[in-house]
Amino acid sequence: QQPVQSPQAVILREGEDAVINCSSSKALYSVHWYRQKHGEAPVFLMILLKGGEQKGHDKISASFNEKKQQSSLYLTASQLSYSGTYFCGTESGSARQLTFGSGTQLTVLP
Amino acid sequence: KAGVTQTPRYLIKTRGQQVTLSCSPISGHRSVSWYQQTPGQGLQFLFEYFSETQRNKGNFPGRFSGRQFSNSRSEMNVSTLELGDSALYLCASSSNRLAYTGELFFGEGSRLTVL
């Protein structure tokens, strides 16, 4: 079953913060985040494994709440280059198979 | 290091025809997975191959098939095309030495239009 992402779209100004949420009804093993710019291939951001860890690089970080089967992606002090569609992918059970959410379209305006 | 290469990039077919798409993974990557991307459904998993064996399959009809060769290159085939098969087909490779899906490196995709 596809994870649910929210919001579906968000518009913000450069320097503002944003949070994108991803929730699943299944017990998750891992959560993956990708960003896809228009007309380009999705690009890997990070993987979070069950255990409630938080990861980050630069001003983008994420958390994984194993109890709630939810993950959140945090974008701090957004830059124009952050614009794109963000997808969470979830993995559960023993299958090495990512099920992606429908995406969150993020637009950063100057 | 060359990225994932998909061919052809664009193609137009008519209903009932079949199509074969090709994917060359990053050198050294033995896992290749395929995804269908449409505006309404997002990214949907088709199948994953590792060392010429299909390890996982998504919820698609049997008209969708694939294979992987000994050099890790992969092809997917869609037979008896339907209008709803119009989509961007993405291939992703990974080294996949982990117990879970690792970082996927996506190609730019093959955009299929079915008329």
Side-chain angles (χ1 to χ4, degrees), chain A residues 32 34 36 41 44 91 96-97, chain B residues 37 56 96 98 101 104 107:
Chain A
H32 306 231
Y34 285 79
Q36 185 178 29
F44 171 81
E91 195 166 41
R96 283 189 219 204
Q97 174 180 324
Chain B
Q37 186 172 32
N56 288 293
N96 208 318
L98 307 168
T101 298
L104 298 178

Side-chain angles (χ1 to χ4, degrees), chain A residues 18-73:
Chain A
V19 180
I20 300 171
N21 300 302
C22 174
S23 64
S24 174
S25 58
K26 290 185 172 183
L28 300 177
Y29 186 88
S30 64
V31 179
H32 306 231
W33 286 96
Y34 285 79
R35 176 173 62 207
Q36 185 178 29
K37 293 180 183 278
H38 185 68
E40 299 181 9
V43 173
F44 171 81
L45 292 175
M46 63 190 77
I47 294 174
L48 300 102
L49 303 179
K50 68 177 182 177
E53 67 175 286
Q54 184 153 353
K55 276 197 169 186
H57 73 94
D58 199 13
K59 293 176 180 161
I60 300 177
S61 62
S63 62
F64 177 21
N65 186 320
E66 188 183 342
K67 280 186 179 178
K68 294 184 178 180
Q69 307 306 325
Q70 290 177 350
S71 178
S72 294
L73 185 72

Side-chain angles (χ1 to χ4, degrees), chain B:
Chain B
K1 203 173 187 182
V4 177
T5 305
Q6 290 188 247
T7 57
R9 292 291 314 281
Y10 303 91
L11 63 166
I12 300 173
K13 295 285 187 178
T14 55
R15 279 186 302 174
Q17 287 187 310
Q18 74 164 16
V19 65
T20 299
L21 309 177
S22 179
C23 172
S24 293
I26 289 173
S27 178
H29 285 187
R30 294 166 65 188
S31 170
V32 174
S33 49
W34 289 88
Y35 291 84
Q36 181 194 65
Q37 186 172 32
T38 57
Q41 300 294 323
L43 280 161
Q44 291 191 287
F45 174 79
L46 281 155
F47 25 66
E48 186 236 355
Y49 288 87
F50 182 82
S51 292
E52 301 179 68
T53 301
Q54 186 183 86
R55 286 203 298 196
N56 288 293
K57 190 177 190 311
N59 192 23
F60 277 82
R63 300 186 296 107
F64 292 81
S65 63
R67 58 178 177 168
Q68 187 181 33
F69 303 96
S70 57
N71 61 358
S72 293
R73 192 176 70 84
S74 177
E75 288 182 348
M76 68 163 282
N77 184 275
V78 187
S79 62
T80 320
L81 284 167
E82 300 176 0
L83 295 178
D85 296 334
S86 295
L88 180 67
Y89 290 88
L90 290 163
C91 164
S93 75
S94 73
S95 57
N96 208 318
R97 295 193 180 95
L98 307 168
Y100 53 89
T101 298
E103 177 179 355
L104 298 178
F105 294 83
F106 283 89
E108 293 189 308
S110 293
R111 184 166 294 282
L112 170 66
T113 302
V114 182
L115 302 176

Side-chain angles (χ1 to χ4, degrees), chain A residues 4-15:
Chain A
V4 177
Q5 282 187 241
S6 63
Q8 287 187 326
V10 58
I11 299 174
L12 53 155
R13 296 278 180 189
E14 226 178 337

